[in-house]
Amino acid sequence: QSALIQPPSASGSPGQSVTISCTGTNSDIGGYNFVSWYQQHPGKAPKLMIYEVTKRPSGVPDRFSGSKSGNTASLTVSGLQAEDEADYYCSSYLYYKNLVFGGGTKLTVL
Amino acid sequence: QVTLKESGPALVKPTQTLTLTCTFSGLSLSTSEMRANWIRQPPGKALEWLARIDWDDEKFYRTSLKTRLTISKDTSKNQVVLTMTNMDPVDTATYYCARMGPKWELDYWGQGTLVTVSS
């Protein structure tokens, strides 16, 4: 159960777009469309932002979008806002019926 | 309204066994397709999936911790319990319980409980 690979940090100015990548293998991201993304503010529990690669739960702004190509999934945050500054984690279904997280990316809004 | 709440000791000594309880409200553990998970996060580090118990009592564990973890549920109390044996300072972390939806997403989380392992 090796962690999915995320860049440790990402940044952008208010209004800009930023994309965070999450790289796995054929046993997780590449083999299934069960990628999720979570936002975590300091001292808080993670919050689901994207599931099934591209879907947003009710209440999540459409500034957040997800995609996948091969073994790499991506989260794009458009129109960056100050409150988007947080840690972001990806997760994926992992054969067989397991779950694996990424190492997390700290998003800074400049 | 769905809520999950973790409870357990804030401090355990090395070699002791940790027992954590997650109480679900607004969701029934006996519902078909219900999957309950435990995840932990050491201070300043990433999330780490630990274990899951499904509605049919099937259980799954993180490979590296499999020998130390036991997950169980009490549907009458709507609770999920995680035990971890032989605790070590490296196990110091915030422990979360979370419900897993049908697309393997963790859609409901507890607030987390910080467990410190120290003598």
Side-chain angles (χ1 to χ4, degrees), chain A residues 1 33-36 38 40 43-48 50-52 55 89 91 93 96-104, chain B residues 37 39 41 45-49 52 54 56 58 60-64 96 100 102-107 109-112:
Chain A
Q1 286 155 326
N33 287 324
F34 294 131
V35 177
S36 300
Y38 304 88
Q40 186 180 35
K44 300 293 187 182
K47 174 187 176 183
L48 178 67
I50 296 287
Y51 68 100
E52 212 174 354
K55 297 179 180 178
Y89 294 91
S91 74
Y93 175 94
Y96 168 76
K97 293 187 180 181
N98 285 298
L99 188 73
V100 61
F101 283 104
Chain B
N37 294 257
I39 298 104
Q41 185 173 37
K45 295 189 177 181
L47 299 169
E48 186 176 69
W49 176 80
R52 187 179 83 250
D54 292 351
D56 57 1
E58 195 170 9
F60 301 86
Y61 298 100
R62 185 176 188 82
T63 302
S64 60
Y96 295 99
M100 177 177 276
K103 305 302 182 181
W104 297 85
E105 76 280 21
L106 298 168
D107 52 2
W109 292 70
Q111 64 190 19

Side-chain angles (χ1 to χ4, degrees), chain A residues 61-110:
Chain A
D62 60 6
R63 302 185 294 102
F64 292 85
S65 62
S67 63
K68 189 187 92 166
S69 178
N71 294 340
T72 298
S74 299
L75 172 72
T76 298
V77 186
S78 305
L80 270 175
Q81 298 182 5
E83 60 261 35
D84 299 333
E85 184 162 298
D87 293 327
Y88 290 85
Y89 294 91
C90 58
S91 74
S92 173
Y93 175 94
L94 167 67
Y95 182 86
Y96 168 76
K97 293 187 180 181
N98 285 298
L99 188 73
V100 61
F101 283 104
T105 297
K106 182 176 180 61
L107 174 61
T108 301
V109 180
L110 302 170

Side-chain angles (χ1 to χ4, degrees), chain B residues 11-73:
Chain B
L11 179 67
V12 297
K13 290 180 167 50
T15 75
Q16 286 187 336
T17 294
L18 170 68
T19 299
L20 295 173
T21 300
C22 178
T23 301
F24 285 67
S25 298
L27 283 174
S28 172
L29 288 177
S30 57
T31 302
S32 182
E33 307 293 328
M34 166 63 80
R35 299 184 175 98
N37 294 257
W38 283 96
I39 298 104
R40 72 178 179 181
Q41 185 173 37
K45 295 189 177 181
L47 299 169
E48 186 176 69
W49 176 80
L50 296 177
R52 187 179 83 250
I53 186 165
D54 292 351
W55 73 96
D56 57 1
D57 216 39
E58 195 170 9
K59 300 165 187 173
F60 301 86
Y61 298 100
R62 185 176 188 82
T63 302
S64 60
L65 295 172
K66 187 170 185 174
T67 60
R68 299 175 53 205
L69 294 173
T70 303
I71 191 170
S72 62
K73 60 184 170 74

